[in-house]
Amino acid sequence: MKQQGPQMPQPTTKSSQPEWMNLLLFLTVSLLILYWFNVLTAPEIKVLPYSEFKQEVQQDRVAKVSLRGDELTGEFKAPAGGGKAGGDKQAQPETTGRFKTVLPSMADPELLPLLEKNNVIIKAESTSVSWWLQLLAGIVPWLLIFGFFYFISRRMQERLAGGPGIFGVGKSKARLYSEADTRLTFDDVAGLENAKADLRDIIAFLREPGRFRDLGAVPPRGMLMMGPPGTGKTLLARATAGEAQVPFFSISGSEFVEMFVGVGAARVRDLFENAKKSAPAIIFIDEIDAVGRSRGIGLGGGNDEREQTLNQILSLMDGFSPEESVVVMAATNRPDVLDPALLRPGRFDRKLVLQLPDRKAREDIIKIHAGHIRHSDNIDWNALARRTAGFSGADLKNLINEAALLAGREEKKEVDTETLELARDKIVLGTERTLLLNEEQKKIVAYHEAGHTLAAWLMPHADPPEKVTIIPRGRALGVTEQMPRDDQYSLQESYLKDRLVVMLAGRSSEELVFGETSSGAESDIEQATRLARKMVSSWGMNSKLGAANFSTEEDQVFLGKEIAQPRNFSEHTAQLIDDEIRELLSRQQEISGRVLKANRQYLDSLAQALLNEETLGREAIKAVLQEAKMPESVAAAA
Ligand code: ADP
């Protein structure tokens, strides 16, 4: 059965009232106020008492007057013509300045003769227009006031009915993608084959719910997708809706949590209500950990709002009747903090773990996204995939886009290997910085990086060096990049130890060449210590503690489980762990020193090449280090 998705444009949230209405209202009111205060119409009119006006006439200073009703406006004579000027009736008298006055209510029989005697030009205007104007002026403000209140009350009603803003808080902000928008299919998702296979069940059910119900099967309810950010959770959910051709309601967990308690729960009810109406449908809740964290744990008292929202989700999922074919898909990158109640049968009992893509999947993802840009035909996608280990799907998409932007900036017609390479470097190594280092500082950086590179070249289990540069990038003054041989799913102790040697070799090189170390090794030391701690306390790679887990993950979770976890080992063990870490690090540091010392001439040549060229690629490194050799003593010990 194919369900036609509602043909609503997305998002379903009503757009806010046209702002121009407000603007128009504001402008009208301001104009009227200006008018009433006579700012516009008579900017410099002088108001005279009637008696003074008559005096002015008597002294022959008035050129002309116009009469409308009881209002008299006029203009003064320009003094230029001399005191009694203006005897010539034909010529228009020169005027200066305007005035107005109000005529007394009892008619003044002297006025007209006086004006005539002084040759004042008299203009009488009918008052009928002014009558209309007066009426309008009386009505318009009321019309405006009523219009304003009507407008406000309509907006309130709309908001109460679900618009955005404070009155619409109880309505879900879910975006609905109708079929036309969700025409994503599994072809748009590269890799993730296992996940796709698991989702086929759900698709089959959504397409023909009846078939499953007739068999008495309990329909799937919830699917929880877990994986690092950018691994395609949202994409997969949308593609599932696309494959099943059902409407797709999407909301993020953080949108449930608002400032008012109870609003989240109301939003959930509304969202589920909407989805049921268009069933079969998929509800997608992104970042479910924002509401789905373990209940009862948290700093600073209860988390009523979050708990209520979570309870509401759970009870609605429990309350689905078998006839309602709505599947809830949720995504999180923190499955460890989720409330176990979410994972009970009938709720999110199906789980999908999405990993970072492997080489093949990366190649496929790159190809999908490269399809949207203009690129040259001779790009080696496989090589690019090999050089992007650790990239998520979103990173790869970003890489392609970054390359297209670069090509545009350089006014190239299409993206080529070089632009892709530059874009990759920018993402992996950071943006190049222009820092003016003096010769001595440059030399230190060159030797530091040469140390890393030489160690990476020589250590038998280390990833070989791919590129080394002394152009400052991101926060680093220089960078050595290694190329992982292939995607590694588990890390051997020998590999990790060699990795420590490579990390510490920068510092060893400085010590060997300059007799002292610099602050440039800070991040190397930090990374090496973190790795050593993992090896000793989590992976059992130690001599005194054995295979036991003593990890104390300092996870940056504000309200998660970890904070409530006490350290569950003794002070003595903590001491042993510290000793082991220190020993491991100093042993590897020492090895790096020996390796470099035995190959000092190659270290010098490499540093020199770096000072000359600034950046060396794989081939250039190979040309310098071809003859370098692992010292016997280290080879034997390793
Ligand atoms: P998540 O929800 O896991 O954080 P997304 O689904 O939002 O990640 O992924 C972000 C973008 O990355 C997607 O829109 C898509 O373009 C791209 N992407 C991620 N994984 C894949 C994949 N397997 N195939 C194709 N594109 C992908």
Side-chain angles (χ1 to χ4, degrees):
M1 179 172 54
K2 183 178 156 188
Q3 172 90 11
Q4 183 66 35
Q7 290 307 303
M8 256 179 283
Q10 61 99 359
T12 45
T13 327
K14 278 207 177 83
S15 66
S16 63
Q17 273 285 332
E19 289 305 315
W20 61 265
M21 286 271 282
N22 291 344
L23 193 68
L24 196 72
L25 200 70
F26 176 75
L27 279 179
T28 321
V29 170
S30 333
L31 274 175
L32 274 169
I33 288 173
L34 283 177
Y35 176 78
W36 283 329
F37 282 97
N38 259 343
V39 178
L40 281 183
T41 49
E44 43 187 15
I45 202 157
K46 191 173 171 192
V47 181
L48 296 180
Y50 182 67
S51 54
E52 205 174 302
F53 157 69
K54 273 178 83 176
Q55 269 173 21
E56 296 284 342
V57 178
Q58 274 156 5
Q59 288 165 14
D60 199 15
R61 282 211 287 265
V62 175
K64 50 181 162 183
V65 295
S66 66
L67 292 151
R68 183 198 281 154
D70 63 350
E71 198 182 78
L72 183 149
T73 51
E75 289 172 44
F76 291 116
K77 263 185 194 162
K84 297 269 171 200
D88 182 2
K89 274 186 222 167
Q90 263 58 4
Q92 278 289 330
E94 294 216 4
T95 61
T96 169
R98 288 161 53 85
F99 65 86
K100 79 172 182 186
T101 188
V102 179
L103 301 176
S105 50
M106 64 282 271
D108 179 359
E110 292 172 18
L111 179 62
L112 267 180
L114 180 68
L115 291 172
E116 277 166 359
K117 183 172 146 228
N118 288 290
N119 293 328
V120 177
I121 301 169
I122 304 169
K123 196 170 137 203
E125 286 174 18
S126 155
T127 52
S128 57
V129 177
S130 123
W131 177 82
W132 271 108
L133 270 180
Q134 271 175 14
L135 190 71
L136 260 183
I139 290 175
V140 167
W142 289 110
L143 276 181
L144 278 175
I145 290 169
F146 282 123
F148 183 69
F149 279 107
Y150 176 70
F151 173 69
I152 293 275
S153 69
R154 272 210 33 203
R155 281 198 75 160
M156 274 190 174
Q157 273 172 7
E158 269 169 23
R159 288 189 171 190
L160 280 167
I166 199 167
F167 299 105
V169 284
K171 292 289 161 176
S172 94
K173 288 185 183 171
R175 285 159 297 272
L176 171 78
Y177 297 93
S178 61
E179 268 173 61
D181 307 310
T182 27
R183 219 165 275 148
L184 283 178
T185 65
F186 280 171
D187 292 340
D188 298 295
V189 186
L192 303 177
E193 296 307 331
N194 295 338
K196 286 186 200 167
D198 284 0
L199 286 167
R200 298 224 181 264
D201 266 2
I202 291 194
I203 294 169
F205 163 72
L206 286 171
R207 278 197 174 169
E208 293 175 81
R211 185 155 66 89
F212 287 79
R213 273 200 298 269
D214 292 348
L215 282 167
V218 179
R221 278 288 159 247
M223 167 72 90
L224 182 65
M225 292 182 289
M226 307 177 261
T231 38
K233 298 182 287 294
T234 314
L235 179 72
L236 202 56
R238 288 189 63 185
T240 308
E243 288 277 334
Q245 298 176 329
V246 297
F248 178 73
F249 294 82
S250 128
I251 194 164
S252 165
S254 53
E255 287 174 63
F256 283 131
V257 185
E258 285 269 348
M259 55 184 173
F260 306 109
V261 173
V263 169
R267 288 224 170 112
V268 172
R269 273 195 301 276
D270 186 57
L271 170 64
F272 277 68
E273 209 47 55
N274 282 343
K276 273 188 204 172
K277 273 186 220 146
S278 4
I282 288 183
I283 295 178
F284 174 64
I285 307 178
D286 203 0
E287 298 174 41
I288 186 139
D289 44 293
V291 283
R293 277 176 196 281
S294 298
R295 285 168 293 185
I297 298 178
L299 300 179
N303 237 301
D304 287 350
E305 168 61 353
R306 218 165 41 75
E307 281 190 17
Q308 277 194 21
T309 310
L310 177 57
N311 289 340
Q312 186 70 67
I313 294 180
L314 296 180
S315 72
L316 282 170
M317 285 183 77
D318 287 342
F320 275 138
S321 67
E323 286 71 47
E324 286 157 346
S325 1
V326 176
V327 173
V328 185
M329 296 180 79
T332 178
N333 40 35
R334 296 297 320 266
D336 51 324
V337 300
L338 287 186
D339 195 305
L342 271 173
L343 309 175
R344 282 222 295 271
R347 295 168 177 175
F348 294 101
D349 48 356
R350 294 174 178 230
K351 292 175 215 78
L352 273 185
V353 180
L354 307 191
Q355 308 272 10
L356 285 175
D358 59 14
R359 194 184 46 69
K360 174 77 179 62
R362 284 199 300 276
E363 186 175 340
D364 294 344
I365 297 176
I366 291 172
K367 281 186 186 157
I368 285 186
H369 292 288
H372 304 307
I373 61 164
R374 196 179 316 147
H375 58 79
S376 66
D377 299 329
N378 55 3
I379 295 177
D380 184 351
W381 300 115
N382 186 313
L384 185 61
R386 236 178 307 123
R387 305 204 52 199
T388 44
F391 275 48
S392 68
D395 293 335
L396 292 168
K397 180 182 182 182
N398 182 28
L399 167 70
I400 300 292
N401 189 47
E402 197 65 51
L405 288 175
L406 266 177
R409 209 174 306 147
E410 290 174 7
E411 300 191 4
K412 288 188 177 176
K413 287 260 179 320
E414 53 187 18
V415 169
D416 53 18
T417 310
E418 193 198 339
T419 1
L420 282 166
E421 191 64 19
L422 283 174
R424 196 203 68 103
D425 283 359
K426 191 171 162 198
I427 292 171
V428 176
L429 310 176
T431 318
E432 285 187 10
R433 278 188 304 158
T434 42
L435 266 188
L436 283 183
L437 297 180
N438 62 30
E439 286 309 310
E440 184 59 24
Q441 285 166 330
K442 258 193 180 165
K443 203 169 156 193
I444 296 177
V445 177
Y447 268 101
H448 184 106
E449 298 309 325
H452 287 309
T453 311
L454 183 53
W457 177 267
L458 289 174
M459 297 312 291
H461 308 288
D463 296 323
E466 174 70 22
K467 187 180 233 176
V468 49
T469 174
I470 56 166
I471 300 174
R473 277 173 173 277
R475 282 180 56 216
L477 294 177
V479 184
T480 302
E481 198 204 336
Q482 293 162 264
M483 167 79 114
R485 286 161 210 237
D486 217 331
D487 291 299
Q488 307 204 12
Y489 299 102
S490 96
L491 304 166
Q492 239 108 30
E493 186 172 356
S494 51
Y495 170 81
L496 294 167
K497 281 185 165 167
D498 281 6
R499 191 162 170 165
L500 285 177
V501 173
V502 176
M503 283 176 180
L504 297 167
R507 185 171 180 275
S508 296
S509 174
E510 287 183 40
E511 204 166 16
L512 179 69
V513 178
F514 305 101
E516 61 172 351
T517 55
S518 73
S519 62
E522 179 183 337
S523 84
D524 294 341
I525 295 178
E526 193 186 316
Q527 281 183 24
T529 315
R530 205 177 311 134
L531 177 57
R533 181 173 291 281
K534 268 251 172 256
M535 290 169 68
V536 170
S537 58
S538 302
W539 300 331
M541 299 172 184
N542 58 62
S543 53
K544 297 192 198 97
L545 295 155
N549 187 338
F550 300 111
S551 62
T552 48
E553 274 293 75
E554 325 100 343
D555 237 320
Q556 307 288 326
V557 184
F558 191 50
L559 300 166
K561 276 180 185 167
E562 290 79 356
I563 287 176
Q565 260 180 7
R567 189 181 78 182
N568 47 11
F569 48 82
S570 68
E571 200 56 46
H572 175 66
T573 309
Q575 184 68 47
L576 277 181
I577 294 173
D578 287 347
D579 292 346
E580 285 269 355
I581 292 173
R582 210 171 317 125
E583 260 171 48
L584 176 60
L585 286 175
S586 68
R587 217 179 315 133
Q588 303 315 99
Q589 174 87 67
E590 203 237 336
I591 293 177
S592 69
R594 273 196 289 172
V595 169
L596 300 188
K597 199 166 170 194
N599 289 283
R600 174 66 197 256
Q601 76 210 74
Y602 298 106
L603 186 67
D604 289 338
S605 329
L606 195 60
Q608 196 50 51
L610 269 175
L611 285 170
N612 294 341
E613 306 287 330
E614 293 199 325
T615 302
L616 301 176
R618 195 180 343 155
E619 292 308 314
I621 297 172
K622 194 172 163 190
V624 180
L625 299 184
Q626 197 106 41
E627 308 288 316
K629 280 218 171 51
M630 188 71 162
E632 293 289 322
S633 58
V634 178

